[in-house]
Amino acid sequence: MNLLLCLVCIMLMPLAAAGLALIHQGLGRSRSAAHAMLATLCALAISAIVFVTIGSAWAGFAGGSAHSFAAGGVRWDWLGAVEFFPSGIGMDPADAAGYRRALTLCLEMFAAGLAATIPLSGGTDRWRLAPACLASALLAGFLFPLFAHWAWGAGWLAGLGANFGISRFVDTGGAGVVQVVGGLMAVSVVWILGPRRGKFAEDGVPAAIPGHNIVQVLFGCILALVGWIGLDSASSILFFDAGPQQVVWVVINAMLSASAGGLAAVLVTRARYRKPDASISANGWIAGLVAGSAACAMVSPVAAIDTGIVAGVLVTYMIEIAELRLQVDDPGGAVSVHAGAGLWGLIALGLFGHFPDGTRAGHMLAQLVGVAALLGFMLPLIYGANLLLNRVAPYRVDNDGDWQGMDIRELGAGAYPEFVVHADEFVPR
């Protein structure tokens, strides 16, 4: 029954990618809307193929074979070593372990696709389609599976308790595995691409480039909520043996953290700018979902609300700091929403989580080790890999693409042709 419920939850996960797609194309320019949506579809397609055929072997699974090495008297399990091109897993009705492994493959396939859609938000209006597809393959084929194995596949982070006597690193719904990894990919892409033309004046003051369709952005928030509930519930069942009673609280806490994050952003922008900012409020909603993904049912509803509030407030200031202080052009807020709120969610789990052994200090230390691994190892690795890929396939569109928009430059047609008025249509013939 649990595995059947898990399958149903996994089937909701594509809605999270659909929601993010609507958000990042709505926050971009209208002349790049079709390109943004096609890039999302391509990222999902490439991620699915590359992860299932190659990446799943590196991600591995609990109890599967793995690459490891001994250092300091401890064996470090760092990469999965199962077969490439899997087939026939879980087809035998009597093979419950095989069916569980097939569900893990299915969940991580969609999770890799979701992670690949996140950097598209940061690269909106200027990231070429071909390099974006290659970057999605890189993420799904190696970068995502690497950290997924550490946290979800019985890797060294999951084995901190057995090897070092503190506790295991916990990331129930993928705040680190999916959100932070995707957010760090967005950090790398934004650094490499640079800002859009006209975003910053010569003195460094940023210009406001409002999103072209805030209605789609807000609708994307609702779709993302459903997809997040599916991701959080399925991963809780597969990796932490949650039952239906825990899944109910996963749903409750997801809604509470998203609501708290969205409302916190509304109130903060209302207090600072005298009127609520719809785009930042939408990012606050997603930030609440991202931060709440780490704990899922492992915190109380009050703690879920607190986690969401901090995420919503954090995002409003991180977006401003990124633009005003660091001159980072991140149209969809991927760096702040996914990397920033995801890291906070991992820490919040250590602060608020209910653990069976009751040793909160050990769990907090394990969470900080996971955060250090993300920032100290994964970020340099992701950035270096993207730098090399940029040498092979330049990420940035040319100057004509900046002026024409990505739709015309790369696809040959705009998303909204009826917006264009052709003067010769009104000349008498």
Side-chain angles (χ1 to χ4, degrees), residues 119-256:
L120 297 175
S121 182
T124 295
D125 295 333
R126 62 207 190 280
W127 196 10
R128 294 172 54 234
L129 181 61
C133 292
L134 293 175
S136 298
L138 173 67
L139 182 65
F142 180 70
L143 299 175
F144 169 82
L146 179 64
F147 197 78
H149 178 73
W150 293 356
W152 283 351
W156 69 270
L157 278 177
L160 285 176
N163 292 328
F164 297 97
I166 48 176
S167 180
R168 66 166 294 179
F169 171 76
V170 176
D171 182 13
T172 312
V177 175
V178 181
Q179 310 303 329
V180 178
V181 169
L184 296 180
M185 188 79 169
V187 171
S188 303
V189 168
V190 168
W191 281 345
I192 292 170
L193 287 172
R196 292 169 289 179
R197 290 179 64 187
K199 177 62 180 178
F200 295 101
E202 292 183 359
D203 58 359
V205 176
I209 303 179
H212 80 278
N213 196 328
I214 196 65
V215 174
Q216 288 186 358
V217 172
L218 297 175
F219 178 63
C221 291
I222 306 300
L223 285 182
L225 170 65
V226 181
W228 244 270
I229 288 173
L231 169 61
D232 291 352
S233 301
S235 57
S236 297
I237 295 170
L238 274 180
F239 303 125
F240 295 91
D241 297 320
Q245 64 275 24
Q246 284 85 27
V247 170
V248 172
W249 286 104
V250 170
V251 177
I252 292 172
N253 285 348
M255 183 63 190
L256 291 176

Side-chain angles (χ1 to χ4, degrees), residues 421-429:
V421 177
H422 299 282
D424 59 350
E425 292 179 357
F426 302 94
V427 176
R429 285 177 169 77

Side-chain angles (χ1 to χ4, degrees), residues 93-116:
D95 184 10
Y99 181 45
R100 190 182 188 91
R101 184 184 168 193
L103 285 174
T104 301
L105 174 64
C106 187
L107 182 147
E108 291 183 340
M109 175 187 71
F110 285 125
L114 183 60

Side-chain angles (χ1 to χ4, degrees), residues 1-22:
M1 182 62 69
N2 277 2
L3 296 183
L4 180 60
L5 175 61
C6 180
L7 178 61
V8 173
C9 293
I10 290 173
M11 293 168 65
L12 299 176
M13 289 176 58
L15 293 177
L20 293 184
L22 288 175

